[in-house]
Amino acid sequence: EAGLQVVHVIDPTAPAVVGSHDTGAVAYGVAVQGDLAAVSDLTDGLVLVDVSDPASPVRLGALALESTGWNVWLDGALAYVSGSAGGVHVVDISDPSTPSLVETVDTPGSVRTMAPFGRHVLAADYTGGLQVLEARETRTTPIEAATLGTPGTALSLHAQGDLAAIAHAGTGLLLVDVGDPMAPSLVSAFVDGAFATRTHLEGDLMLVADTDQRLQVVDIGDPTVPVALCIHGFSAHSFA
């Protein structure tokens, strides 16, 4: 509920908050493009903030949305905001003072996390599994292109190369081949009993945060057989 926080991390051993902006309710997601920060907020929808002076962030504009904004991703003059209902909202931010809704792309579930993938957007759609949205050359907004139904509820995802990792409540981690975005296919599953809430791919390693407040490091050198390397306890369910 602290809104947007700007943190100085030049010295990673001593991070310090240098500025903040109250976005209205609860800030769930943030994306930065140049001096512009876009925040997905519980009640104010999409909030656009000028962070050219990190010590004094200034609100430029906002757009109320029909559903809670979970996550936001920026692509030039467009912002993609995932909602608790209604799928993905596409917003024109060419004038940050007056953002306007271009289109809402409906999905079966509620999109929690998105990841850019070339001309596509990969979306963890909660009960809707993995949704692939395609932005055609003749369109400025995405259309639903492919779906991979998955067990459990898809909470977050991260893509690297042709591989996407999806964190699932109740199912652990799923590794999916998205080399052909129109036909995603399951490669393997990594299950250890905990609810995975966040994942990140880094080379041959996969980082997994879960509801048991652990960070696991998993070897995915062979994505068909992921192997846990170590586990570290911490007091959060997410990381960046």
Side-chain angles (χ1 to χ4, degrees):
E1 298 180 359
L4 175 68
Q5 301 288 305
V6 182
V7 182
H8 193 293
V9 292
I10 295 298
D11 180 357
T13 65
V17 175
V18 296
S20 64
H21 177 76
D22 184 357
T23 56
V26 179
Y28 277 116
V30 62
V32 178
Q33 184 173 266
D35 291 333
L36 181 67
V39 182
S40 51
D41 185 80
L42 178 64
T43 58
D44 280 19
L46 176 67
V47 179
L48 300 176
V49 181
D50 181 348
V51 291
S52 56
D53 179 358
S56 300
V58 177
R59 178 181 295 223
L60 299 175
L63 178 66
L65 300 171
E66 294 181 358
S67 57
T68 299
W70 289 115
N71 187 250
V72 59
W73 167 56
L74 300 179
D75 182 21
L78 294 177
Y80 297 82
V81 185
S82 62
S84 58
V88 177
H89 306 289
V90 185
V91 181
D92 182 343
I93 58 170
S94 54
D95 180 354
S97 66
T98 57
S100 59
L101 183 66
V102 176
E103 185 177 355
T104 295
V105 183
D106 195 15
T107 60
S110 59
V111 176
R112 298 306 177 94
T113 307
M114 299 172 293
F117 189 74
R119 292 292 300 168
H120 297 80
V121 178
L122 306 179
D125 196 36
Y126 205 58
T127 55
L130 171 67
Q131 299 291 319
V132 182
L133 307 179
E134 179 186 12
R136 298 188 186 279
E137 295 295 335
T138 56
R139 297 171 58 95
T140 57
T141 57
I143 60 173
E144 190 172 341
T147 299
L148 177 65
T150 56
T153 52
L155 298 177
S156 75
L157 63 80
H158 187 254
Q160 174 184 270
D162 291 340
L163 194 65
I166 305 173
H168 269 255
T171 314
L173 261 293
L174 301 179
L175 292 176
V176 178
D177 184 345
V178 289
D180 179 359
M182 301 297 288
S185 59
L186 182 64
V187 175
S188 63
F190 177 78
V191 182
D192 75 342
F195 283 12
T197 57
R198 185 74 181 268
T199 183
H200 180 85
L201 300 176
E202 189 67 39
D204 288 340
L205 298 178
M206 176 171 64
L207 306 180
V208 184
D210 62 36
T211 53
D212 285 347
Q213 298 186 335
R214 302 178 305 170
L215 174 65
Q216 293 197 67
V217 181
V218 182
D219 184 343
I220 56 169
D222 179 355
T224 65
V225 187
V227 178
L229 297 179
C230 63
I231 298 175
H232 175 68
F234 69 126
S235 58
H237 294 161
S238 186
F239 56 83

